[in-house]
Amino acid sequence: MRALGIDIGGSGIKGAPVDLEKGELTEERLRIPTPDPAGPEEVTGVVGQIVRHFGWTGPIGVTFPGVVLNGITMTAANVDPRWVGADACGLFSAAAGRPVTVLNDADAAGLAEVEIGAAKGEAGVVLMLTFGTGIGSALFVDGRLVPNTELGHLEIRGKDAERRASDSARERHDLSWDEWAERVEEYLRHVEMLFSPSLIVIGGGVSKKSEKFLPKVSVRTRVVPAALRNEAGIVGAAMAAAHL
Ligand code: BGC
């Protein structure tokens, strides 16, 4: 079975059909730069464009970088504030001409890693953390997702954790990999104190460079890079469309 996965990010909106058994893209993905401003209307236009590009008539899943409750986007930490309270599911479904599943971006990436990636077959508490513009989180208990955990907004040293330890914070403050690894370690220690996971999967664009910082991060939990790297969002969105 195939489903179309669309991943909404701060710089690009990416989509591709996914073979759900293999978890692989079946066609070259289409990437359209995120419009500026990136409010509901503008982004919905791009989602419609991607659906038409693939002539898609099957299941469709779309990720969003904020809390998604019953298809409504509830928060917008790093995106246009007009998303707060928007009916993303209704808007995307109208643009696609068929029902669309909408879920949080980190939750989607986590679903893909649990089904076919670095957390496949892992029992107990598993945490996926994505480091990008923000920090996204997906919590799993025996393979079942607890959605919208938003652990990027835990408070560390009086600040939103993602302001200190996201990949964009590394760039913004021009931190060396060693300096950034220290912040990531402090954050992971806080998270493991709260959840005692048996495995932490590190995703987001920076997971491609995990050898630069993961060896410097010392916590008691096993920490591994995501297996699907940046494609986890597209694959997870497609899986959610088929399963949820
Ligand atoms: C948002 C999360 C999102 C994460 C990664 C955070 O700022 O609140 O919902 O998963 O960024 O995009």
Side-chain angles (χ1 to χ4, degrees), residues 65-66 77-78 104-105 134-136 150 153 162:
N78 291 306
N104 172 263
D105 56 356
I135 297 178
E150 293 292 315
H153 301 294
E162 70 176 21

Side-chain angles (χ1 to χ4, degrees), residues 4-244:
L4 181 67
I6 300 178
D7 193 21
I8 299 178
S11 58
I13 301 180
K14 295 151 279 181
V18 176
D19 176 320
L20 295 169
E21 278 76 45
K22 296 191 191 134
E24 285 169 7
L25 312 193
T26 62
E27 283 181 57
E28 197 180 329
R29 66 166 208 185
L30 174 67
R31 181 186 187 280
I32 297 179
T34 306
D36 184 13
E41 262 177 47
E42 296 86 7
V43 170
T44 300
V46 176
V47 168
Q49 222 179 313
I50 294 176
V51 173
R52 286 192 298 280
H53 171 83
F54 292 106
W56 198 255
T57 55
I60 303 172
V62 180
T63 74
F64 179 78
V67 171
V68 185
L69 270 186
N70 303 318
I72 311 284
T73 46
M74 309 295 289
T75 65
N78 291 306
V79 287
D80 191 306
R82 285 177 289 159
W83 280 102
V84 177
D87 178 9
C89 181
L91 289 167
F92 297 159
S93 300
R98 49 189 309 99
V100 169
T101 302
V102 188
L103 75 165
N104 172 263
D105 56 356
D107 284 346
L111 281 177
E113 291 295 332
V114 162
E115 287 234 0
I116 53 156
K120 187 175 174 193
E122 211 41 62
V125 176
V126 170
L127 198 55
M128 163 101 194
L129 296 169
T130 62
F131 291 78
T133 309
I135 297 178
S137 62
L139 179 67
F140 293 84
V141 184
D142 290 334
R144 282 207 64 173
L145 173 67
V146 181
N148 295 310
T149 41
E150 293 292 315
L151 301 182
H153 301 294
L154 287 172
E155 195 178 298
I156 307 251
R157 295 180 189 254
K159 277 198 180 163
D160 213 24
E162 70 176 21
R163 302 287 304 159
R164 285 182 49 79
S166 62
D167 193 38
S168 64
R170 179 180 66 80
E171 287 173 351
R172 198 168 52 245
H173 301 299
D174 201 15
L175 300 176
S176 67
W177 287 104
D178 280 33
E179 287 167 325
W180 187 62
E182 264 180 44
R183 292 187 179 201
V184 171
E185 180 177 300
E186 182 180 44
Y187 173 66
L188 295 188
R189 281 179 192 253
H190 193 70
V191 166
E192 73 179 0
M193 180 268 290
L194 292 170
F195 295 96
S196 299
S198 50
L199 177 71
I200 297 177
V201 181
I202 303 289
V206 80
S207 61
K208 279 183 280 196
K209 302 174 199 154
S210 63
E211 76 289 347
K212 292 192 195 283
F213 65 97
L214 271 194
K216 296 168 182 143
V217 171
S218 149
V219 292
R220 72 164 194 262
T221 312
R222 241 175 337 130
V223 183
V224 295
L228 285 106
R229 311 290 149 107
N230 246 352
E231 238 118 71
I234 296 178
V235 174
M239 286 174 168
H243 299 337
L244 287 187

